[in-house]
Amino acid sequence: MKLFTTTFTLTVIAVSICLSILILPESRHISNRFAVDVELKTTSQGHIQLYYDQGNGYNENDSSTESLIADNQVHHYRLSLPPGKYTHFRIDPIDRQGSMLISDITINEYHGYLLYILGTNDVKAANQIKSLKQTDDGLEVTTTSGASDPQLSIELSEPITLHLSYIVLAFDIVRNGFLIFLGLSGLSLLVAFISPFILPKLNWCKSHPLKTLCLLSLGATLVSVFPVAFEGRSFVSPNYGTFLLYDEFPTLPGSSRTDTADLKGSDIGAVMWQHVPFSRVQYRSLFKDHELPVWSRYNSAGSPLLGQGQSMFGDPLHLFVILARGAAWAWDLKYILAKCLFSLGLGLCVLTLSESLGAAAIIALISPFIGFFIFRVNHPAFFSLCYAPWPLLCLIKLGEKRSRVSTALLGVALVLTNLALLASGTVKEAYMLLLGVNSLGLLLILFSENERALKIKKTLLVLGYELLFVLITAPLWYAFVSTLKLSYTQYDHPQAAQIPINALIGFFDELFYRPLVANESVSNPSLNLLFLFGIIYFLSTLHIQLQKKSRLILFLFSLLPLSLAFGLIAPGFIEQLPVLKNIGHVGNTFSCLLIISASIIAGLGYTTAFSRLKEKEGRADLFISALLLFGLFFLYISFFHGSSSHSPSDIKPLIQCYLYLGLSSLIALGFLIRYLLKKETLTATPVLLISFISLVLLGRFSQFTHFGFDDYTVQPTHRQSFEARSIAIEKVYGEQYKFPSRAIGFEGNLWSGWSTYLSVEGVNAPDALINPRYRELTQASSLSHQWDWRLYLEKAKLTETKPFLDFLNVRYYLDLRSDQGALSKSLKLALATDLDVYESTTVWPRAFFTDQVSTYTTAQDLVTKINKDFKTPFAAVDPLDLQGAPGLNTLLGHDPSKRVYAPAKSYVLTENSTTFHFINPTAGVAILNEVYWPGYPHATLDGYPAKVFRINHIFQGVLVGPGEHTISISYRPKNFTLCLILSLSGGLLLIGVTLGLILIKDRNSQT
């Protein structure tokens, strides 16, 4: 490879200049060309914020923030300041009560050049400042007690004008460009030096394709998640914006991290509020109580866990997370492994179908850098997509002529990979991917080039393995389906949300979806533009591709998810179809399936390009490809010109620039590949340009820290320990087994779902499947509602809400830095620590006995009755529940003044069961304040089976005679034991089939 020719040198210079422009603060959307630098020390956590007036007064948009480090050491805080003319500033030294010492305040240029010294003498108190004191070390600032918005003002004696000089800009470009030029030159010399040693090893790659793809997949994945893998960042950091224990950042005890990241609408709550807590429950179920994790007593006063269909129980990779008790580092490792598996799986699919290691290597290298991972940063759909290539790979290989041993192992692999996909943590994405990739794999077998008899044999074999998979996974899918029938879900009657076909180019880079959505939020999954190159080349040579049955099937199959996702099939038609009508996010869901098939098509496109571009036909192919690219471009642009809801101005300059740059880069990429293939040798200039194009088109999809482009990249925040001690939680948890009760946080404290991780029972959680009676009753109460699932308590509504919370067995109320005087009017302060813990003295017990039952008509009637008679627990039924428990008729119509009431005692709790003891003088009903899900509770009364019925609208009752009794209620879906038997039978059959294929002598050695 010749280096430092004139052409190569000019190319290095051009690339260096382009990269130097790219890293300018202005290019990266960072307004830190200038900054107010504050040096201070404090022992208080919080944020420091600078406000500057650009003609609109002080506002949040015209401000910059940094997190304070509470270690009583002087730290330098750089608060960005855009160009402009300024006469005054406002500095909020902290966003809560605290004190600090400000040593210096200056205005500096990007490179640290001092422009102005503001000092501390001109600093004045503006709001919630108790004292300012000048000392030899600086300005001591102390806020008022209970401060929430302390402010300092700085009035300048003379206006300060900051403007961007073109000379400075040119200097930065030259300076950065020179440094990049030196770096690229050094890298080029290194490559030239080692290439004689590396290139001969390419033969090793060709003879070891699996090892090669494994190394490439691992390397590309580690590059794409570098901050998580090597810098202590995390996929499951709460500082993406999810409150957990405290309703501020840091939101966990023991953490000092207050920096947050805005992921532009990516759903980062699902994993933090449900799946991370679920992993902790699963550990306790399996290793503490030795039970299968089928129930969560912590969610919504008792809720199915396995039946949610999202527990991840059964995913082989998830076992490691469970063993680590849901630790953040274990989750990060799972994400990294899943992403590596995704890359490797797609690469192997391409290798198997194309027999081109080059094309497979490209797909493996670019797969970790797709827009899906910006859209679903840590959502469980991450795992659904990452596992999806593997069942398809197993089916493709099962369709080949193979030995019995190989067939047996592939059959086991098919079952296990399908299991991982089914249990990946989603329903819509996982189930559609499961159905889609298995259907595609079966079609590839049916329409393979094999003789008819072998195809039939292969098809029957695969169907047998699929049947074994259905049997083995019966506890998973049956628990979900049976629970779904009992539940309310927001997807009962959704509209089919699809993507406009004009935005098809967005499927190849999610950036192009942004103008369609308010605030440029992420909205749908995507690939990247290097996949588009392979797909476009596949389409430009479609007449050749369709000559092979496998490619014809792959192409035709891809039209189905394409049509569903992009509106080629009318939404009204979808809303009439079983299953599909309940998906709602049709565009999102079927884009995931399209990603799998389109990625393989891209690999086949690269395979064809490598064989045709060096021939004269390659020029015509590139011309057709360019026309298709321009067609996508005009389809996209025309949408904004012809739409009534959008306009061309919706496409921000950066996105416009990227659109033009991306299309021109793909065209250039085609000609560069053609040049290299015709030369039949690697030359420095094309290799450098191809590398530069790849960097531009893929770089944004890698994770960064402090890189800029904050709205368009993922910049992970720090990993935090979920195990840190909270004295408040220890207080609540310590009473749990003696007097079982629930807890709730005010506003955003003790967030719904995170209490599950802490083993604190609550009244709410982000469950997809919600008990309809529980939902009906809570909606009739005065609890505040957010989204479709979250209940939360406002301090202003405490008095009117407390009777209902007493009814729900809520004993503890938690708040951060509360107004103890105000809350103590309704509650008893039990402990003031990291959270203030209050206790209700009128809370209903978890279980009790009464000998009388009253009636009510509607949920609102019951809430009214609770508010009136909340101090003494009672039993009530509506007409529907009375029909299900006719034995209650004998308890109706008695004198309420003579009612007998007795709380239960001697509780024994496991994750799946509640046992309690009581003594009652007369016959009556025992009530357990845990939500009744039909088919789930299985009760014994003094060791004998007993009937459980619904009472008090949502809770459980058991009829009892006079005397001393022990009641035990355990939870599992109806017929769950039968499902376990079917699963065990399926597992034994799989072992038998596998051993049979391996041990029985095969005359032909192939099957």
Side-chain angles (χ1 to χ4, degrees):
M1 185 185 295
K2 295 181 180 180
L3 285 180
F4 299 111
T5 62
T6 302
T7 303
F8 179 73
T9 303
L10 292 174
T11 303
V12 173
I13 293 173
V15 170
S16 300
I17 292 174
C18 290
L19 289 175
S20 67
I21 294 174
L22 184 64
I23 64 175
L24 288 172
E26 290 74 19
S27 301
R28 292 184 286 144
H29 282 211
I30 302 177
S31 59
N32 67 346
R33 171 61 64 177
F34 306 102
V36 172
D37 291 332
V38 181
E39 293 184 358
L40 66 80
K41 65 178 180 179
T42 181
T43 57
S44 304
Q45 295 180 340
H47 297 84
I48 182 172
Q49 189 165 10
L50 168 72
Y51 289 86
Y52 42 84
D53 187 356
Q54 292 192 309
N56 300 315
Y58 293 137
N59 64 85
E60 291 295 325
N61 291 328
D62 296 333
S63 71
S64 57
T65 307
E66 288 287 337
S67 300
L68 293 173
I69 301 174
D71 61 359
N72 204 29
Q73 300 293 321
V74 176
H75 291 278
H76 183 95
Y77 299 95
R78 188 172 181 83
L79 302 166
S80 300
L81 184 65
K85 185 176 182 180
Y86 301 100
T87 60
H88 50 89
F89 298 104
R90 172 184 140 192
I91 294 179
D92 294 3
I94 196 170
D95 53 1
R96 63 200 69 177
Q97 178 181 331
S99 62
M100 66 224 45
L101 176 69
I102 300 177
S103 306
D104 199 12
I105 305 176
T106 58
I107 297 179
N108 297 282
E109 198 266 342
Y110 175 65
H111 296 294
Y113 302 131
L114 177 63
L115 300 178
Y116 299 95
I117 298 176
L118 300 180
T120 59
N121 293 325
D122 295 328
V123 176
K124 306 296 181 185
N127 185 53
Q128 295 183 350
I129 301 296
K130 180 180 180 181
S131 66
L132 295 178
K133 181 180 179 181
Q134 289 286 351
T135 69
D136 293 338
D137 295 326
L139 180 66
E140 291 183 356
V141 181
T142 305
T143 70
T144 57
S145 177
S148 59
D149 189 24
Q151 300 172 13
L152 301 173
S153 65
I154 301 177
E155 297 291 336
L156 304 177
S157 56
E158 295 181 0
I160 291 177
T161 301
L162 304 174
H163 61 87
L164 180 60
S165 167
Y166 288 107
I167 296 176
V168 172
L169 199 61
F171 173 77
D172 277 357
I173 293 174
V174 173
R175 174 180 177 273
N176 294 337
F178 178 69
L179 294 175
I180 294 171
F181 177 82
L182 292 179
L184 288 176
S185 299
L187 182 61
S188 301
L189 287 172
L190 178 63
V191 171
F193 177 76
I194 65 174
S195 58
F197 305 98
I198 297 297
L199 292 178
K201 299 295 183 181
L202 291 178
N203 291 327
W204 179 90
C205 295
K206 293 177 182 177
S207 58
H208 298 85
L210 177 59
K211 292 180 181 179
T212 300
L213 290 179
C214 285
L215 291 173
L216 292 175
S217 299
L218 179 60
T221 297
L222 290 177
V223 169
S224 73
V225 297
F226 191 90
V228 173
F230 303 107
E231 295 183 341
R233 306 303 174 103
S234 179
F235 282 97
V236 290
S237 170
N239 286 37
Y240 285 134
T242 50
F243 291 141
L244 298 180
L245 183 56
Y246 315 128
D247 65 351
E248 65 180 24
F249 294 101
T251 191
L252 288 174
S255 173
S256 60
R257 297 292 180 182
T258 57
D259 54 310
T260 58
D262 179 10
L263 297 181
K264 302 299 291 184
S266 178
D267 184 354
I268 39 82
V271 74
M272 298 303 299
W273 297 328
Q274 186 173 69
H275 295 85
V276 171
F278 275 1
S279 65
R280 186 74 167 195
V281 176
Q282 290 158 355
Y283 174 83
R284 292 192 294 259
S285 293
L286 292 170
F287 300 105
K288 177 175 171 288
D289 296 327
H290 309 294
E291 300 171 336
L292 288 176
V294 299
W295 184 258
S296 173
R297 62 169 51 258
Y298 312 99
N299 289 16
S300 303
S303 178
L305 190 154
L306 193 67
Q308 294 290 332
Q310 301 176 330
S311 71
M312 296 187 180
F313 187 70
D315 172 8
L317 276 186
H318 194 61
L319 178 60
F320 178 73
V321 176
I322 296 174
L323 290 172
R325 298 189 293 181
W329 63 266
W331 276 98
D332 288 331
L333 184 58
K334 180 182 178 182
Y335 278 102
I336 293 172
L337 290 174
K339 201 172 191 183
C340 187
L341 286 173
F342 175 69
S343 170
L344 179 60
L346 285 179
L348 289 174
C349 284
V350 172
L351 179 65
T352 306
L353 288 173
S354 69
E355 298 182 351
S356 169
L357 179 59
I362 288 176
I363 297 302
L365 280 170
I366 66 177
S367 293
F369 305 92
I370 62 174
F372 177 88
F373 297 121
I374 290 180
F375 173 61
R376 294 301 197 195
V377 175
N378 63 6
H379 191 275
F382 187 108
F383 302 111
S384 301
L385 183 77
C386 288
Y387 297 158
W390 287 90
L392 178 58
L393 175 65
C394 293
L395 288 165
I396 292 172
K397 288 190 170 292
L398 279 170
E400 300 172 340
K401 294 181 179 180
R402 313 192 69 85
S403 68
R404 283 188 180 274
V405 173
S406 177
T407 298
L409 295 178
L410 282 170
V412 173
L414 175 62
V415 173
L416 290 178
T417 53
N418 273 332
L419 170 61
L421 180 51
L422 178 72
S424 58
T426 63
V427 174
K428 301 192 305 291
E429 293 89 345
Y431 281 53
M432 291 303 103
L433 282 167
L434 185 68
L435 179 63
V437 296
N438 279 275
S439 298
L440 175 57
L442 193 58
L443 287 172
L444 289 173
I445 293 174
L446 282 170
F447 293 93
S448 66
E449 304 293 341
N450 294 324
E451 57 271 18
R452 183 179 179 184
L454 183 58
K455 287 194 289 188
I456 294 174
K457 185 177 179 181
K458 292 283 187 181
T459 301
L460 293 175
L461 179 68
V462 167
L463 291 176
Y465 278 118
E466 299 286 12
L467 178 59
L468 289 176
F469 161 71
V470 172
L471 288 175
I472 291 170
T473 59
L476 298 180
W477 58 259
Y478 176 81
F480 168 67
V481 172
S482 60
T483 306
L484 178 64
K485 294 177 180 179
L486 305 172
S487 307
Y488 162 82
T489 168
Q490 61 177 316
Y491 296 103
D492 285 346
H493 303 288
Q495 291 184 332
Q498 296 170 291
I499 309 167
I501 188 62
N502 299 70
L504 181 59
I505 196 171
F507 178 71
F508 302 101
D509 196 311
E510 61 84 31
L511 195 65
F512 304 132
Y513 285 141
R514 302 288 188 100
L516 303 177
V517 186
N519 301 318
E520 292 191 325
S521 298
V522 295
S523 59
N524 284 291
S526 69
L527 289 166
N528 61 53
L529 290 177
L530 289 184
F531 279 97
L532 177 58
F533 178 88
I535 292 171
I536 286 292
Y537 204 93
F538 181 95
L539 295 175
S540 68
T541 56
L542 193 60
H543 61 290
I544 296 173
Q545 309 291 350
L546 299 187
Q547 293 174 12
K548 293 187 176 182
K549 290 182 180 179
S550 61
R551 301 187 181 190
L552 172 63
I553 292 300
L554 193 59
F555 173 72
L556 293 177
F557 178 86
S558 298
L559 295 179
L560 178 59
L562 175 71
S563 301
L564 288 166
F566 287 91
L568 299 181
I569 296 177
F573 178 72
I574 295 173
E575 290 163 7
Q576 301 300 316
L577 298 176
V579 181
L580 293 186
K581 68 180 181 181
N582 299 115
I583 290 178
H585 300 117
V586 175
N588 174 341
T589 302
F590 285 97
S591 287
C592 294
L593 180 56
L594 186 59
I595 282 174
I596 302 300
S597 60
S599 299
I600 299 172
I601 287 175
L604 298 176
Y606 275 106
T607 302
T608 308
F610 293 156
S611 65
R612 285 175 60 89
L613 277 177
K614 60 186 176 183
E615 309 296 339
K616 63 180 182 180
E617 296 90 349
R619 182 180 298 175
D621 294 344
L622 289 178
F623 177 75
I624 297 172
S625 297
L627 289 178
L628 292 173
L629 283 173
F630 282 117
L632 271 180
F633 169 80
F634 286 115
L635 186 67
Y636 183 68
I637 296 298
S638 65
F639 175 77
F640 293 93
H641 285 274
S643 172
S644 59
S645 56
H646 296 280
S647 67
S649 62
D650 292 339
I651 309 177
K652 299 294 177 62
L654 184 142
I655 298 177
Q656 286 185 2
C657 180
Y658 187 73
L659 179 62
Y660 299 135
L661 179 63
L663 293 176
S664 57
S665 296
L666 291 181
I667 294 172
L669 180 64
F671 284 100
L672 289 169
I673 295 175
R674 174 175 165 81
Y675 177 84
L676 285 176
L677 291 173
K678 290 186 71 175
K679 285 285 186 180
E680 296 185 347
T681 184
L682 294 177
T683 53
T685 301
V687 170
L688 177 61
L689 288 174
I690 290 174
S691 300
F692 174 66
I693 289 172
S694 300
L695 177 64
V696 170
L697 299 185
L698 299 181
R700 189 175 64 85
F701 301 107
S702 187
Q703 294 179 346
F704 297 96
T705 54
H706 306 297
F707 177 69
F709 298 107
D710 291 0
D711 291 342
Y712 307 111
T713 59
V714 174
Q715 304 196 35
T717 51
H718 290 84
R719 185 179 301 124
Q720 299 180 31
S721 172
F722 300 149
E723 302 279 355
R725 182 186 181 200
S726 165
I727 298 175
I729 294 301
E730 288 179 354
K731 163 68 177 175
V732 175
Y733 180 74
E735 301 289 328
Q736 192 72 0
Y737 288 89
K738 187 176 181 181
F739 301 106
S741 62
R742 300 186 175 94
I744 192 169
F746 286 101
E747 275 86 30
N749 295 295
L750 190 62
W751 193 274
S752 302
W754 190 249
S755 56
T756 301
Y757 188 92
L758 301 172
S759 302
V760 173
E761 296 189 42
V763 299
N764 190 214
D767 290 333
L769 306 184
I770 302 171
N771 187 295
R773 300 273 290 196
Y774 186 76
R775 182 173 184 269
E776 179 185 34
L777 191 62
T778 54
Q779 284 191 326
S781 75
S782 54
L783 278 170
S784 299
H785 292 71
Q786 184 183 21
W787 305 312
D788 196 49
W789 59 267
R790 185 182 173 227
L791 307 174
Y792 64 100
L793 177 60
E794 298 179 76
K795 297 184 185 73
K797 292 185 176 181
L798 174 60
T799 302
E800 59 181 304
T801 308
K802 185 176 176 296
F804 184 71
L805 292 174
D806 282 341
F807 166 79
L808 291 181
N809 186 225
V810 175
R811 180 181 179 185
Y812 292 108
Y813 297 71
L814 286 75
D815 196 23
L816 183 66
R817 297 188 296 274
S818 65
D819 185 342
Q820 296 180 4
L823 293 181
S824 294
K825 295 177 181 178
S826 302
L827 301 166
K828 173 186 173 184
L829 180 64
L831 183 67
T833 177
D834 58 318
L835 287 169
D836 295 338
V837 181
Y838 294 87
E839 184 177 355
S840 171
T841 57
T842 54
V843 62
W844 288 30
R846 175 60 56 88
F848 63 91
F849 166 84
T850 184
D851 65 344
Q852 293 185 23
V853 175
S854 60
T855 59
Y856 68 95
T857 305
T858 65
Q860 188 61 61
D861 292 339
L862 180 59
V863 171
T864 301
K865 183 176 178 63
I866 292 169
N867 291 333
K868 180 181 178 182
D869 303 325
F870 70 93
K871 291 187 177 180
T872 303
F874 59 79
V877 289
D878 64 8
L880 179 63
D881 291 340
L882 190 58
Q883 292 178 13
L888 292 176
N889 285 302
T890 59
L891 305 180
L892 296 173
H894 298 286
D895 184 357
S897 63
K898 297 180 180 180
R899 182 164 64 90
V900 176
Y901 156 76
K905 58 183 180 179
S906 302
Y907 289 92
V908 178
L909 305 181
T910 72
E911 296 299 320
N912 291 346
S913 68
T914 300
T915 301
F916 52 94
H917 181 83
F918 59 92
I919 301 174
N920 52 292
T922 63
V925 58
I927 298 170
L928 176 63
N929 281 15
E930 293 177 359
V931 171
Y932 176 81
W933 286 79
Y936 267 87
H938 295 75
T940 61
L941 174 63
D942 301 326
Y944 295 94
K947 180 182 178 181
V948 182
F949 48 84
R950 184 166 49 218
I951 198 165
N952 282 352
H953 204 76
I954 55 174
F955 292 137
Q956 303 173 48
V958 175
L959 289 172
V960 295
E964 185 174 348
H965 299 290
T966 297
I967 293 179
S968 181
I969 297 182
S970 59
Y971 301 98
R972 61 185 181 276
K974 187 179 180 181
N975 299 322
F976 191 65
T977 303
L978 175 60
C979 290
L980 292 175
I981 294 172
L982 291 175
S983 180
L984 179 61
S985 302
L988 293 175
L989 281 172
L990 178 62
I991 294 172
V993 170
T994 303
L995 292 177
L997 286 171
I998 292 174
L999 298 177
I1000 295 176
K1001 186 176 180 180
D1002 181 12
R1003 298 175 183 175
N1004 300 319
S1005 75
Q1006 290 183 343
T1007 185

